Amino acid sequence: MAEYSGFDDWFEMPGGEDFVDVTDVLVAGARDMESEEVLLMDGFTLMDAMSAFEIGEPRLDSGMILEEQRRPPFDPLTPLLPEEVCWILDRSFACEMEWHTGKTLSQSVFTLLFVHHLPDINPEYLPPEEFEDPTRPRWLITVVIRAAILGLLKCCDLAWRELSKNRVHDVEDWQGEKCDVSLLEGVNAEVISRILDMACDWLRQSQFPETQVAALCDRLLLRKAILQLYRYNFLNDTAQARVEIAASLGLLHRVRGSQPEVSPGSPALLAMDPYIARRLPNFMPIRVTELPSQDKTWDMLQVFLEYWQEVVHLVTSPSLLTWEVAGALRFALRRSVPPPFHRSLVQSLFFDNNAVLGSHQLGWLVEHFYEETIGIPYTTILKAIERSTPQPEMASMRDVIERRIIKIMIPHVRSNWFNPPRRRRHLMKDVLQWHQLYDMLLKDIEHYQPPDERTAQILRAIPQAAQLRRLSTSREIILSGFQQELYAPEEKPIAYWYLTRILDVHIGCIEDLLPIIPTDTPTFCELLFQAEHLSALQMISTTLVALTAASITSPWHRISLNFLRRYKWVFKTEFDALVPVKPEPDLLAFPDSLKQFLLDELYSPSASLQLARDILSHLAESPHDWVGHWAPDRREYLRSLAEACNNLGRIAPASLRELAGFNLAPLKWIPDHRSSVIVLSNTTTTISFQFLGTLLNFANLSSSTGMKRKSSLVSRPSPYHTAVTLFEAGEGAVETVVRRSKRLKTGLTTETPVSEPVETEKHAVGEDLPLNTPVKSSKKITTTIKLEEAEESTTVAPATAAIAGPSKVRRTPPRWRETYDAIKRMRSRIVAPVDTMGCDQAQLKETDPKSQRFSTLVSLMLSSQTKDEVTDAAVAKLREAVGGSLSVDAILQADESAISEAICKVGFWRRKTQYIKQAAQKLHDEFDGDVPKTADELCSLPGVGPKMAFLALQVAWKINAGIGVDVHVHRITNRLGWHKPPTKTPEETRVVVMSPSLNLQSWLPVELHAEINHLLVGFGQTICLPVGPKCGECELGDGSCPSARKVVKASSSKKRTKVTSTRGTPSGRPKIEVELEEDTKLLVQVVPPNAPELEETPLDENAGVKAGDLS
Ligand code: SF4
């Protein structure tokens, strides 16, 4: 070739002009080589060679058989003892199970050499044997082994047919290459079933001992039973299917009890050849693998049979969400992903032939979608649409809804039986689909005109169904990233952070739905469960944000690039045209959000985990009727997750100040295919954290009672759980938490370098620290922590403390005491409605202590959204309506209509009627007819929230468990500037565990907790009114109150003024523009300290009045 100059222009030969043909050298070298010898050229080491083999071993396999791999030729008719036949039959099951794990047939089934010698052992083609050894009759091979091999191949054939339906994917999930070996495709399974029966007959008529006959027959019958299961139509007769599966499991149990042993020189061993793939035509290179041990084989077979059981349960549970839970629990419980055969079978059974479960029309999906997601029957939705729109539009809407939902739901449910990577990819597309549906529904309902509030509520709930699916799908994607170990260490805090945000919105979405779902429906119970479950997960993920934050070491611009890449599924351009929904990952928000969170002095990682543990443990014991067969699995999952929280909570820091001393290094993730496990290497503590893997599919079905805890990461408090009080009480609570966690026994010793004086030492424990006082950090802190339970001390290496601060300093609003005393003085001079008609008055009309407490509770329940005067009158009327005494029994005996009539003047009287009835029933059934003594128990009553619970405890039991914060307390404390930044809800005002805002329970002395509600409510009813506070009469109007309004005289009546404010609008555009036409002589102006003057635009020359934030 080198001589052909025509190539010179095209190719540059190796060595260029010096190219030499070395073929002869190689031939000569080969002549000098010994068999199995390796020659290495200069610079090419043995390690290089091993790497080459490791990387491409099957392709580099020359086919050469080493000495130790040489085997005598296999003679299929070599006589065998019954126990040797037993052993071969057992290995046939091992081959089959190995194939179902995703190996090729040539790595598994075809390694059993009898598969390739069926014609050689067919008795019809064999002459009679002249000298037969009675202990090793040939018919053991020609009848027994042959029947078993036929059964094995037919089982493989039937499985192959299901697997090749494209529900699961060849090469990805299973291996379909047959290497030109027959799987008896043309043979009827019934014929093989009869052959297996005949083999059993032969055995029973033989002279072998009974135990040997039984052992062989059991194996043949087990093969026959499995063959029958492959043939079974699970939609036809599920009862019979259960019987068949139970019989198979029974046979398996018997087979396991008779394990044969073969000697090392047994000819039976020759029946297995792991290198058979070298002699078969393979599509792709095949690595030689080992079959599982027999014990493991039986375990695998048992699981395989149990998955058939699960299929039966699935097809007899016509519920979309149950299917999803069942699919997801496989991951959450660290069980193996179902074999591809069962994953394919489930998909076929559900959706073959355009029908659900072989009999339901596709519209069935739509009905279940709404009923199970938002608890509203589809017929009710259609009626609501009908009432709100002309008929033609309704038909159009219905058609669009149904087609879109069916289109999304079928693959969505199916994806639970995809392999994990494929499922993740599918969910990434699903998010967009759910969002598009949400967007479409949102826009559609805008055109309707509901005739009443109930109809409007139903219409508003329609898009929420899609929103819930979108949120749960997003959550799944994030968690699947953990399961599949996709996140680099620096990505984990971001993943947890984003998860926290999604859970936040999800819980809020559920809370919005709960009020419109009838409380006695399974959906209501399930959504409550979901709320609690998601809240616990939110606590865990929030804690993990803190614990993993230190792993971020790269510059933000670099991390953000990874972020964009990892979350490309939320940055698709298609989203731009849709209604924006939260949470969209806001890249720029993450650094600030994290920084703010890490400065939260009240947040305790260990307490957060302990609280999550308590919630999960509680959930594990609560009823789980919805998920039926999977209820024990769900409990197991919850307990397992609770235990993980407990274990991690024991070693997590008690506060963020200690974070610097927390060493993440000993914790490492151990991939386990299905889950992740944290092992603390220097102790025996093992924390299984399968939640990081998957758990959350299953949260679809269930989810959330929330916590009222909010952090800078959590924007929404939940009214369904008060357990947050564990965290809330500021300094005291933190101390309590520390004790709970058993984290610190003798203390935490903090050493600081001499050169770095610690500012915190200037503050005594419990000392008030003005809000504005900067919390100075020490540069380095060495923390010694004694683990009380482990009875050992661990000295954590010095670490840079980025967030260290004073350990026990209470921050308070400046000069709060003077303000408080001033209000007290004012209150002493006035009588407010709450003084004569508050909830504490209701008990005065009762004599029985239980009735006194109950009447207090009823008064509180009626008081929400209602003036004290109206509430007081309603309580009196209700007492009269139920016979003169407001007791639990009296309410239970009263008609709902009588109660409704009595309280019809209060807000939401219909719902309150139901709540009072239900609460009375619950008190009667669970609390001996009395008001319970804890906030948690009180909040378990319908219609009772934290505020009512704390007030009820204070008035009825004289128990001071927390501050009852209502709208008056919320408004006034914000006006006084006691919360920075201002709080948005009463519950946030009371306490939010992770909020950067000061909240009342964090600093107000405990002895004032009981009185502050009464004090401020009366103040708010008489002076600091919601609209038009009487600052002129208020002692604080002299400048002590930042919201004080100045009294300004108007020059004349009837003025027309245009008032414009530009405050608070970054763009500078006018925020408020109000035209006033007043007869009054006085107008007011809000002049907060340091606030810029408002821009004023008079409409006429007489308008000299300034106005402020009139909004
Ligand atoms: S000065 Fe005005 S706003 Fe401030 S507390 Fe008094 S009444 Fe309320």
Side-chain angles (χ1 to χ4, degrees):
M1 191 165 69
E3 291 170 4
Y4 182 54
S5 60
F7 284 114
D8 291 347
D9 298 335
W10 304 343
F11 299 114
E12 186 178 339
M13 303 304 290
E17 297 295 320
D18 299 328
F19 172 74
V20 178
D21 186 346
V22 295
T23 307
D24 292 342
V25 177
L26 293 174
V27 172
R31 252 188 249 117
D32 294 338
M33 284 176 69
E34 298 295 326
S35 174
E36 301 174 20
E37 188 180 4
V38 176
L39 285 184
L40 300 176
M41 69 177 81
D42 282 348
F44 191 80
T45 64
L46 187 60
M47 187 62 76
D48 292 334
M50 289 167 67
S51 301
F53 275 85
E54 181 57 33
I55 293 167
E57 179 264 332
R59 277 164 288 184
L60 291 175
D61 184 354
S62 65
M64 183 174 70
I65 298 175
L66 301 179
E67 195 55 47
E68 62 270 22
Q69 295 170 355
R70 294 188 196 284
R71 323 160 49 85
F74 174 66
D75 177 4
L77 291 175
T78 303
L80 297 168
L81 293 167
E83 55 269 29
E84 292 171 326
V85 174
C86 254
W87 183 85
I88 289 172
L89 266 49
D90 287 353
R91 297 316 286 160
S92 73
F93 289 106
C95 294
E96 185 185 13
M97 288 301 103
E98 188 71 350
W99 180 51
H100 282 293
T101 64
K103 299 284 169 49
T104 63
L105 285 164
S106 54
Q107 286 171 311
S108 52
V109 176
F110 296 164
T111 60
L112 183 53
L113 295 182
F114 281 107
V115 166
H116 311 282
H117 291 273
L118 279 175
D120 302 331
I121 59 173
N122 188 336
E124 292 179 19
Y125 305 145
L126 291 172
E129 199 173 26
E130 290 185 18
F131 306 105
E132 188 175 74
D133 180 352
T135 62
R136 295 178 172 85
R138 193 170 70 185
W139 61 263
L140 276 179
I141 297 169
T142 57
V143 175
V144 177
I145 291 184
R146 179 168 175 269
I149 301 299
L150 290 173
L152 167 68
L153 291 177
K154 195 64 207 173
C155 285
C156 292
D157 175 47
L158 296 177
W160 197 96
R161 293 182 198 195
E162 174 59 52
L163 289 163
S164 59
K165 286 180 180 172
N166 271 339
R167 315 285 190 216
V168 288
H169 300 268
D170 195 359
V171 179
E172 193 175 304
D173 293 288
W174 69 293
Q175 302 287 343
E177 189 178 358
K178 295 184 185 176
C179 306
D180 293 341
V181 177
S182 165
L183 291 181
L184 307 184
E185 292 84 350
V187 182
N188 191 308
E190 190 55 40
V191 172
I192 294 175
S193 191
R194 284 204 295 272
I195 291 174
L196 285 162
D197 280 338
M198 283 164 50
C200 289
D201 290 343
W202 271 74
L203 282 164
R204 291 187 192 109
Q205 291 164 17
S206 71
Q207 302 301 314
F208 288 121
E210 207 171 299
T211 51
Q212 288 184 341
V213 171
L216 286 165
C217 282
D218 283 346
R219 282 159 175 79
L220 293 175
L221 290 174
L222 178 58
R223 172 56 65 198
K224 182 186 166 191
I226 295 173
L227 182 62
Q228 294 296 87
L229 287 173
Y230 276 117
R231 301 169 64 200
Y232 214 81
N233 183 339
F234 285 86
L235 293 177
N236 281 356
D237 188 353
T238 49
Q240 185 58 30
R242 285 197 171 98
V243 172
E244 301 268 358
I245 297 165
S248 306
L249 286 166
L251 281 168
L252 174 60
H253 183 70
R254 293 215 314 249
V255 166
R256 290 192 85 150
S258 60
Q259 291 291 302
E261 286 188 9
V262 293
S263 61
S266 167
L269 299 175
L270 298 178
M272 309 300 300
D273 181 3
Y275 296 95
I276 188 70
R278 290 174 168 171
R279 301 202 292 275
L280 297 173
N282 280 296
F283 237 127
M284 55 183 192
I286 303 297
R287 185 187 295 271
V288 174
T289 58
E290 250 183 61
L291 291 177
S293 68
Q294 204 52 48
D295 261 350
K296 191 168 178 207
T297 298
W298 297 137
D299 287 343
M300 292 164 77
L301 184 54
Q302 170 141 355
V303 171
F304 198 77
L305 293 171
E306 285 169 354
Y307 274 121
W308 254 310
Q309 254 177 347
E310 180 145 309
V311 170
V312 176
H313 288 301
L314 282 168
V315 297
T316 51
S317 306
S319 155
L320 295 179
L321 294 179
T322 301
W323 296 344
E324 291 191 79
V325 169
L329 275 174
R330 302 276 71 75
F331 300 111
L333 290 172
R334 282 185 288 161
R335 291 177 188 162
S336 57
V337 177
F341 169 77
H342 290 103
R343 288 193 276 124
S344 176
L345 182 63
V346 168
Q347 294 178 57
S348 300
L349 291 173
F350 283 168
F351 299 116
D352 258 0
N353 302 321
N354 274 339
V356 183
L357 294 178
S359 57
H360 302 290
Q361 297 299 310
L362 289 179
W364 179 93
L365 277 178
V366 181
E367 292 163 15
H368 278 250
F369 168 74
Y370 276 112
E371 183 134 20
E372 295 179 24
T373 310
I374 56 173
I376 302 176
Y378 190 45
T379 49
T380 306
I381 290 174
L382 291 177
K383 281 180 190 160
I385 294 172
E386 190 178 354
R387 282 197 297 273
S388 312
T389 186
Q391 194 68 21
E393 280 188 41
M394 188 201 80
S396 155
M397 176 74 178
R398 177 178 179 171
D399 189 47
V400 172
I401 288 176
E402 291 188 352
R403 275 191 285 117
R404 182 60 75 101
I405 291 174
I406 290 168
K407 186 180 166 201
I408 303 176
M409 275 311 290
I410 291 179
H412 183 76
V413 174
R414 267 189 180 163
S415 70
N416 285 296
W417 283 272
F418 290 175
N419 62 58
R422 184 170 283 271
R423 178 167 175 268
R424 179 179 161 86
R425 290 195 295 275
H426 175 82
L427 293 178
M428 285 176 173
K429 291 180 194 156
D430 242 13
V431 169
L432 178 61
Q433 302 240 6
W434 287 120
H435 195 166
Q436 285 168 334
L437 178 64
Y438 172 74
D439 178 82
M440 183 189 78
L441 293 172
L442 213 54
K443 286 173 181 162
D444 275 341
I445 63 168
E446 279 174 10
H447 303 302
Y448 297 126
Q449 293 167 345
D452 51 55
E453 178 53 24
R454 175 64 187 162
T455 308
Q457 285 177 336
I458 293 172
L459 292 180
R460 283 197 295 270
I462 294 174
Q464 293 302 319
Q467 168 83 323
L468 282 175
R469 313 301 300 196
R470 184 188 72 82
L471 290 164
S472 56
T473 304
S474 301
R475 184 188 64 226
E476 278 304 300
I477 296 169
I478 297 173
L479 291 173
S480 67
F482 284 104
Q483 185 204 8
Q484 294 166 41
E485 299 182 83
L486 300 178
Y487 303 126
E490 289 185 321
E491 289 180 88
K492 286 181 181 171
I494 301 175
Y496 290 128
W497 170 73
Y498 188 35
L499 177 64
T500 304
R501 297 198 59 213
I502 286 178
L503 291 172
D504 196 36
V505 178
H506 197 155
I507 293 167
C509 199
I510 292 171
E511 287 169 3
D512 289 344
L513 279 171
L514 283 175
I516 65 169
I517 304 175
T519 53
D520 56 351
T521 58
T523 307
F524 183 87
C525 299
E526 190 59 27
L527 283 176
L528 268 183
F529 176 86
Q530 287 191 26
E532 289 202 34
H533 178 214
L534 294 186
S535 293
L537 295 180
Q538 197 181 37
M539 288 177 185
I540 298 170
S541 56
T542 303
T543 305
L544 290 171
V545 172
L547 298 187
T548 57
S551 57
I552 298 183
T553 53
S554 302
W556 173 241
H557 70 271
R558 197 167 131 198
I559 301 172
S560 59
L561 290 179
N562 278 345
F563 189 105
L564 284 170
R565 180 176 54 83
R566 187 69 69 201
Y567 294 88
K568 60 187 177 195
W569 50 278
V570 270
F571 293 121
K572 288 182 180 168
T573 51
E574 290 96 323
F575 284 106
D576 297 344
L578 304 174
V579 171
V581 288
K582 296 286 179 188
E584 182 184 318
D586 182 358
L587 262 187
L588 298 178
F590 174 71
D592 283 346
S593 173
L594 182 65
K595 192 172 157 193
Q596 193 181 29
F597 170 52
L598 293 179
L599 288 171
D600 191 334
E601 295 181 355
L602 300 181
Y603 180 68
S604 166
S606 60
S608 187
L609 289 167
Q610 301 293 346
L611 184 52
R613 178 207 60 188
D614 292 346
I615 294 172
L616 293 165
S617 303
H618 165 74
L619 285 178
E621 307 314 318
S622 59
H624 299 269
D625 296 338
W626 184 317
V627 289
H629 169 71
W630 290 272
D633 285 353
R634 181 186 264 190
R635 283 201 184 86
E636 185 187 336
Y637 153 75
L638 291 167
R639 288 191 194 112
S640 169
L641 191 55
E643 189 191 344
C645 290
N646 190 45
N647 290 339
L648 188 56
R650 286 165 51 203
I651 57 170
S655 75
L656 292 179
R657 294 188 200 104
E658 299 171 34
L659 205 55
F662 179 71
N663 190 2
L664 194 65
L667 300 177
K668 59 181 178 182
W669 300 99
I670 298 181
D672 182 31
H673 290 295
R674 279 89 60 183
S675 65
S676 298
V677 176
I678 301 176
V679 174
L680 187 61
S681 60
N682 58 351
T683 72
T684 55
T685 307
T686 300
I687 302 160
S688 65
F689 237 67
Q690 63 269 51
F691 130 77
L692 294 168
T694 11
L695 54 99
L696 284 310
N697 269 336
F698 136 88
N700 285 343
L701 260 206
S702 36
S703 168
S704 133
T705 303
M707 314 250 31
K708 246 45 190 279
R709 74 220 190 308
K710 180 167 157 167
S711 73
S712 48
L713 303 184
V714 179
S715 64
R716 181 185 179 108
S718 160
Y720 296 103
H721 208 292
T722 56
V724 71
T725 48
L726 285 175
F727 294 126
E728 294 168 345
E731 180 188 7
V734 170
E735 285 178 335
T736 303
V737 164
V738 171
R739 283 195 296 277
R740 272 176 65 90
S741 71
K742 299 181 179 177
R743 170 105 171 80
L744 306 175
K745 183 183 178 185
T746 56
L748 181 73
T749 60
T750 307
E751 300 168 7
T752 55
V754 178
S755 58
E756 297 284 347
V758 181
E759 190 73 18
T760 62
E761 290 175 1
K762 295 175 184 172
H763 302 281
V765 172
E767 180 187 348
D768 288 2
L769 183 70
L771 179 64
N772 302 347
T773 304
V775 178
K776 297 202 176 177
S777 302
S778 61
K779 294 293 181 190
K780 282 198 170 185
I781 290 182
T782 302
T783 308
T784 304
I785 299 172
K786 288 195 177 178
L787 294 172
E788 184 181 22
E789 291 189 340
E791 295 183 350
E792 65 182 30
S793 68
T794 305
T795 302
V796 182
T800 302
I803 56 168
S807 58
K808 291 182 181 176
V809 176
R810 186 174 61 205
R811 289 194 306 155
T812 60
R815 304 183 62 196
W816 70 271
R817 191 81 219 194
E818 292 94 308
T819 304
Y820 192 89
D821 289 343
I823 294 174
K824 234 176 161 178
R825 277 197 303 277
M826 287 186 273
R827 277 291 274 119
S828 67
R829 297 194 292 265
I830 50 178
V831 177
V834 70
D835 297 329
T836 55
M837 291 171 282
C839 65
D840 53 335
Q841 300 296 309
Q843 59 182 328
L844 303 179
K845 306 286 192 312
E846 303 291 338
T847 51
D848 175 54
K850 282 188 179 179
S851 299
Q852 288 175 344
R853 293 188 279 270
F854 182 65
S855 59
T856 300
L857 179 64
V858 171
S859 174
L860 281 165
M861 292 173 76
L862 293 178
S863 67
S864 71
Q865 309 287 320
T866 306
K867 288 186 172 179
D868 281 346
E869 298 88 329
V870 180
T871 304
D872 190 54
V875 171
K877 216 170 164 190
L878 180 60
R879 180 178 288 112
E880 199 179 315
V882 298
S885 175
L886 204 46
S887 65
V888 169
D889 289 339
I891 290 290
L892 287 177
Q893 285 161 16
D895 288 339
E896 276 199 16
S897 56
I899 298 174
S900 292
E901 195 177 334
I903 67 169
C904 64
K905 296 280 171 51
V906 305
F908 304 104
W909 57 272
R910 284 193 188 87
R911 196 184 304 165
K912 286 178 182 173
T913 301
Q914 288 179 346
Y915 285 159
I916 289 173
K917 263 282 190 190
Q918 290 164 356
Q921 190 65 53
K922 188 159 184 172
L923 293 177
H924 178 270
D925 295 344
E926 298 175 23
F927 301 105
D928 192 27
D930 203 351
V931 171
K933 280 183 167 179
T934 68
D936 277 346
E937 288 171 331
L938 275 162
C939 284
S940 72
L941 299 172
V944 177
K947 181 204 84 176
M948 287 184 208
F950 293 132
L951 289 176
L953 287 174
Q954 281 161 7
V955 176
W957 287 109
K958 313 297 178 218
I959 293 174
N960 183 15
I963 300 174
V965 176
D966 65 0
V967 288
H968 290 292
V969 179
H970 171 62
R971 180 184 70 253
I972 294 168
T973 55
N974 271 290
R975 279 180 178 173
L976 294 173
W978 285 359
H979 311 285
K980 288 188 178 175
T983 52
K984 296 189 181 68
T985 65
E987 191 54 13
E988 195 178 334
T989 296
R990 182 176 75 88
V991 58
V992 179
V993 67
M994 291 174 284
S995 170
S997 299
L998 278 186
N999 48 65
L1000 284 181
Q1001 282 193 182
S1002 73
W1003 61 267
L1004 191 70
V1006 174
E1007 64 271 17
L1008 302 181
H1009 285 191
E1011 68 175 41
I1012 190 170
N1013 176 275
H1014 197 84
L1015 181 79
L1016 294 190
V1017 169
F1019 182 58
Q1021 287 174 334
T1022 53
I1023 297 179
C1024 194
L1025 303 172
V1027 179
K1030 300 174 180 174
C1031 302
E1033 298 174 20
C1034 179
E1035 281 188 31
L1036 304 172
D1038 60 0
S1040 310
C1041 170
S1043 305
R1045 294 167 175 234
K1046 285 184 179 174
V1047 180
V1048 182
K1049 268 203 171 167
S1051 58
S1052 66
S1053 61
K1054 277 270 182 192
K1055 297 216 177 283
R1056 189 173 177 81
T1057 306
K1058 184 175 179 183
V1059 184
T1060 305
S1061 167
T1062 57
R1063 286 175 56 220
T1065 54
S1067 63
R1069 283 178 298 174
K1071 179 184 174 188
I1072 303 165
E1073 193 168 276
V1074 184
E1075 288 192 4
L1076 301 174
E1077 195 164 0
E1078 289 290 343
D1079 267 323
T1080 54
K1081 301 252 171 121
L1082 294 177
L1083 287 179
V1084 292
Q1085 172 193 16
V1086 176
V1087 189
N1090 309 321
E1093 284 291 317
L1094 299 174
E1095 183 184 325
E1096 173 196 334
T1097 312
L1099 288 184
D1100 62 43
E1101 52 190 281
N1102 294 325
V1105 181
K1106 286 187 177 180
D1109 187 358
L1110 297 174
S1111 64

